[in-house]
Amino acid sequence: MSNIYESAANTLGIFNSPCLTKVELRVACKGISDRDALSKPDPCVILKMQSHGQWFEVDRTEVIRTCINPVYSKLFTVDFYFEEVQRLRFEVHDISSTHNGLKEADFLGGMECTLGQIVSQRKLSKSLLKHGNTAGKSSITVIAEELSGNDDYVELAFNARKLDDKDFFSKSDPFLEIFRMNDDATQQLVHRTEVVMNNLSPAWKSFKVSVNSLCSGDPDRRLKCIVWDWDSNGKHDFIGEFTSTFKEMRGAMEGKQIHKMHSFLDYIMGGCQIQFTVAIDFTASNGDPRNSCSLHYIHPYQPNEYLKALVAVGEICQDYDSDKMFPAFGFGARIPPEYTVSHDFAINFNEDNPECAGIQGVVEAYQSCLPKLQLYGPTNIAPIIQKVAKSASEETNTKEASQYFILLILTDGVITDMADTREAIVHASHLPMSVIIVGVGNADFSDMQMLDGDDGILRSPKGEPVLRDIVQFVPFRNFKHASPAALAKSVLAEVPNQVVDYYNGKGIKPKCSSEMYESSRTLAP
């Protein structure tokens, strides 16, 4: 049986060398021209990485309204592998305020390079090429900075009082920009807050930033904070500025506002375990496992899509679980001995102990159970979400960051209990739990996107919104020809933030905790 596991692991390239370091990329553009010469664009930069000849979106900046020379505060954090040619593509799009999607006509220019080129030069500036690789007057600059040494994160919250009123018919619409003063006398944008409309005493939303980004790990480095009055034409009015240091912010009035934001590694290194659970779709739409056309067909050396997805995600999660024992369930099949339909049965048929030894144990239990099942239906996933949520709910009684639950659901079709699933997800969003759904096969999964909160707020049938976005859905076919680790990277990318958001939101600290501080400054006009 191990040859199937080894084949899947090798196919997915599990045994890649570790990342050498992480790199932060800052982006700015100049001279961006809109399609309409009478208006300015609302530009956003999208970062894509190439894998097996295809481009995949990794991340995108914020949208800056009505601007031809945008400087973005959003950072791109990427892993740097010295031994790999990592091809990057930066695309600039005009994002309309009425939609956040991308259209062909919204493309304003692109630039391709390798991460090695950026790292070796530290600052790379190139022309933006439009369709047909024609160069215009617009350009893009990417600055690289190694994320090393102090990688602690802090959460900062700023407010102001009695700001100058710069508007005639209403109060100012203030926003704040924070700049790090570099050794070469240049300044680097660290963060730009949201605009608070019509308010002379704004309280901006708190934000997370690494100490490395904020002050290059040097608490005495000067920081410049500038307050502007936002104008829709992009010509913002200066209100005032002040300078400070992270050390001053941290040390002034001890015991109040600015506090360290605990990172994912803080919780993991503090002893938090990732409890990984697998749920596999055994409905009849998968096809007879004895038929080579079935999604559950077991080939001696070529893993099916279920195995590929399971190994890709499981091999990463198992590193954060000390006992390497994983509960594995099935749904949508008639099971022995009575052959009644079940939507949360243990695939090792041991309901008292559904755990399998390692990912290889899950793979072996999966292939062993197939001949004993009658694939049936319907495709209901609410029961398995509720089962894992019950365990996560018991964990909340400890009031400690000891166990966080990840449920991987592998399914070949759109679920039939959407209302119950929405209810279960809304309930689970209050618990230390994340749900990853991978769509296997060629079904139309468009209705499944609503479970992923990226495009809007998921609500229960009663209208209750999710507390946190805990669901990530991807169709496996999007990664059929991608690099081996692309699927795992996509579905697991949000998990560290979900872990941090849950525990910080509950005020639960890892074993090593830090203080909370506040400071204030007077704006210099």
Side-chain angles (χ1 to χ4, degrees), residues 280-286 295-296 306 331 378-381 409-418 421 437-449 451 473 475 477:
I280 302 174
D281 183 336
F282 289 106
T283 56
S285 56
N286 284 280
L295 293 170
H296 280 304
Y306 280 99
F331 59 91
T379 308
N380 293 348
I381 65 173
I409 299 175
L410 306 174
T411 179
D412 83 315
V414 176
I415 61 177
T416 51
D417 62 340
M418 184 64 79
T421 296
I437 306 175
V438 178
V440 175
N442 297 314
D444 180 4
F445 293 112
S446 55
D447 289 345
M448 299 285 279
Q449 299 289 351
L451 299 177
F473 170 78
R477 60 173 174 260

Side-chain angles (χ1 to χ4, degrees), residues 332-370:
R334 287 174 165 172
I335 62 173
E338 288 85 8
Y339 285 94
T340 55
V341 176
S342 174
H343 297 290
D344 58 355
F345 63 91
I347 64 173
N348 64 1
F349 299 113
N350 185 347
E351 296 299 330
D352 294 329
N353 183 17
E355 294 185 332
C356 302
I359 299 304
Q360 181 172 347
V362 178
V363 170
E364 292 174 352
Y366 162 73
Q367 85 163 3
S368 295
C369 79
L370 273 172

Side-chain angles (χ1 to χ4, degrees), residues 224-296:
K224 179 190 287 187
C225 301
I226 305 177
V227 179
W228 303 89
D229 172 31
W230 178 85
D231 284 326
S232 59
N233 62 6
K235 298 180 180 179
H236 312 306
D237 298 318
F238 176 79
I239 294 180
E241 67 178 40
F242 70 90
T243 62
S244 183
T245 66
F246 177 55
K247 183 177 182 179
E248 290 175 349
M249 294 179 182
R250 188 178 58 190
M253 297 180 66
E254 181 175 343
K256 297 188 179 176
Q257 186 78 355
I258 299 174
H259 70 276
K260 175 183 174 181
M261 191 72 179
H262 300 292
S263 69
F264 176 65
L265 287 181
D266 284 338
Y267 287 104
I268 295 300
M269 297 176 74
C272 183
Q273 296 283 296
I274 296 296
Q275 297 296 324
F276 180 61
T277 302
V278 182
I280 302 174
D281 183 336
F282 289 106
T283 56
S285 56
N286 284 280
D288 188 340
R290 296 170 294 183
N291 190 317
S292 61
C293 296
S294 170
L295 293 170
H296 280 304

Side-chain angles (χ1 to χ4, degrees), residues 155-158 191 194 203-208 257 259 261:
E155 183 174 21
L156 303 177
F158 287 81
H191 182 76
E194 78 283 5
W204 292 286
K205 293 179 181 178
S206 62
F207 61 93
K208 293 179 289 185
Q257 186 78 355
H259 70 276
M261 191 72 179

Side-chain angles (χ1 to χ4, degrees), residues 23 57 64 78 110 131 133 206 221 260 264 286 299 312 339 345 347 356 467 479 492-493 521:
V23 174
E57 179 177 339
I64 299 183
V78 296
H131 291 304
N133 290 330
S206 62
R221 184 176 296 276
K260 175 183 174 181
F264 176 65
N286 284 280
H299 189 284
Y339 285 94
F345 63 91
I347 64 173
C356 302
L467 180 65
F479 298 88
L492 292 173
R521 284 290 184 276

Side-chain angles (χ1 to χ4, degrees), residues 441-463:
N442 297 314
D444 180 4
F445 293 112
S446 55
D447 289 345
M448 299 285 279
Q449 299 289 351
M450 70 173 294
L451 299 177
D452 191 327
D454 291 344
D455 296 328
I457 299 177
L458 178 71
R459 296 179 182 273
S460 72
K462 298 177 183 177

